[in-house]
Structure formats: C-alpha cells, structure tokens
Amino acid sequence: GQLFVALRGERYDAHDFLDQAVAAGATALLVSDETRAAQRVSFDTPARTMTVHEELPLLPGKGAELDLEGAAASVGQGAYFLVGSQALSRNRGAFEADRGYVFKLPVDSTGRPQTGAVARANLRPVLTADAELSPFLDKPAEENGLDIEGLAERGGRLFFGLRAPVRDGQATVVEVGVDDLFAGQARSTLHRLAFGPGRGIRDLAALQGDTGFLVLVGPSGGPDSRRSPDGA
C-alpha cells in the first residue's frame, strides 16, 4: 500500500505556491493560500531533492485566490482533498466565494493527480447551518472569526481543524462525511479540544495505522492570542 504523509513548509526558492504539502510515496501535491491551483512535485529522498512538475488548476479562469490552507491525502478514497480557509479576506474584509470550496482531486494507480476529474463541494452551507459556528462566519480574524487551517481524512470522513474560533480555551474540529458533502447533504459534527486561551489548530493529520490524529497547535490570531504562551 501507499503511505501518505502530511508536510507543512515555508516558501521554496522563488516560488509562491508552497504552503501545504501532502506526499504519496515519492510524489506530492503542493497548494498555496495565494493561488488558484495546485502543483505536482516529486521527491528523491536519498538525494534530498524536490522536483516541480505541472500546475493543476482547481477552478477555471482568473479570480481571487482560493486561500487554500488545509490538505489531506486518502488511500481509501484514492484522492487528495483541499480546503479553502472560509475566512474573510484580510484586504477586503469580506468573504470571497471561492474560499468556500472543498476540492477532491482523484489520483490514478501511480498516484498522479487527475485534473480532468476534480470535483468541488461548497462547505459554506454546512457551516452556516451549524448554530455554534455560524455567528463567527462574518467576523474578521482579529475578532475570532472562523478560519480553517487543518484537514485530515479517515474512513470516508473529513476532519477540518479550525484555527478560530477559540471559545473558553477550546479549539474545534468539524467532521463531515465525504459522500454527503459532495452530494450537498452534509451535516457537521463538532469536536472540542481544550488547548487553552488563544490556541487554535494550525494543522491536522490522520496517523497511519492508528485511530488518532496529529494536531499542530498555535496562536489563533484572535483577541485571546496574547494570552497564549505561544505569543500573539
């Protein structure tokens, strides 16, 4: 079987696309919060090198950035999943519709992404229908506005880790079914994790051969971030 490993990195050389990476064996998919596409790369582990390949458009045409912040790869689903932050634009102070999608990018038997079969689902209605989360959808980040930064898949379920809101020292993971989401029929299940004031989820990964998750925690960016030992 294939082993999928989630990676998170900073900028790579002059490229502006490296924000989240999901690796499948020796190949990976990179996405950025500043583009409308993913990028296929491959790794040569012994040589410790990465080769950049073709760009994979997720939406047609030009438009606002997708603000992609979460990425996951699933052996069972045979696909990559990518999600926009759902957050308000920091520059415009408004929600841009293209940030609301979850993308499913199938792979072939070699793990190569198949862009002709990319599917998308709108996560915004699911969040709007949740009475606990909906009040935070139209708030900016500095006011504890909703912001997704982590994504994992397990057993046909997607788990979205929220950087914000953080309430009473608790961060939130939103769980939905893959099939229900892409059929427009998903309902959310919330999981709360007590990490302390101002601490949200900055990345999320399903552990292979286990039932647990690896959670990266850091400042939420909201009003309580200054109370977090991680800093503002």
Side-chain angles (χ1 to χ4, degrees):
Q2 292 176 303
L3 175 65
F4 292 90
V5 181
L7 308 172
R8 182 172 179 85
E10 299 300 327
R11 300 302 185 204
Y12 176 76
D13 291 339
H15 297 286
D16 196 32
F17 56 76
L18 183 53
D19 186 21
Q20 284 280 351
V22 183
T27 64
L29 195 69
L30 305 182
V31 295
S32 171
D33 59 358
E34 298 181 7
T35 70
R36 293 172 63 82
Q39 192 102 22
R40 188 177 69 88
V41 301
S42 59
F43 294 96
D44 184 334
T45 303
R48 302 178 64 83
T49 60
M50 181 179 80
T51 302
V52 179
H53 301 290
E54 74 275 13
E55 193 173 78
L56 310 170
L58 297 174
L59 285 178
K62 297 181 179 180
E65 64 189 34
L66 301 181
D67 201 31
L68 293 164
E69 292 285 357
S74 168
V75 175
Q77 294 284 325
Y80 293 99
F81 293 94
L82 314 170
V83 65
S85 69
Q86 311 288 322
L88 301 187
S89 169
R90 292 181 182 271
N91 295 329
R92 301 180 182 179
F95 178 69
E96 297 173 345
D98 287 350
R99 294 179 175 220
Y101 290 119
V102 179
F103 297 92
K104 181 179 182 180
L105 186 55
V107 300
D108 62 19
S109 59
T110 68
R112 191 185 185 102
Q114 302 296 292
T115 55
V118 64
R120 67 178 185 263
N122 192 347
L123 186 61
R124 198 73 174 179
V126 180
L127 300 174
T128 301
D130 191 298
E132 294 190 37
L133 296 179
S134 59
F136 299 92
L137 291 179
D138 295 321
K139 291 186 176 183
E142 59 270 19
E143 296 179 15
N144 214 23
L146 190 140
D147 189 358
I148 293 176
E149 281 210 358
L151 175 60
E153 187 277 341
R154 169 170 281 125
R157 311 287 293 178
L158 291 174
F159 298 83
F160 302 93
L162 304 191
R163 176 177 180 175
V166 175
R167 297 167 293 163
D168 299 322
Q170 294 184 325
T172 302
V173 174
V174 181
E175 176 187 352
V176 301
V178 171
D179 293 342
D180 290 341
L181 178 62
F182 283 86
Q185 302 173 349
R187 292 187 178 183
S188 59
T189 299
L190 304 187
H191 306 275
R192 297 175 188 82
L193 303 174
F195 296 128
R199 285 183 166 183
I201 297 171
R202 305 300 296 268
D203 209 349
L204 187 66
L207 297 175
Q208 297 298 321
D210 199 317
T211 58
F213 295 86
L214 179 65
V215 184
L216 178 65
V217 177
S220 67
D224 288 338
S225 287
R226 63 183 181 275
R227 297 169 55 192
S228 169
D230 304 305

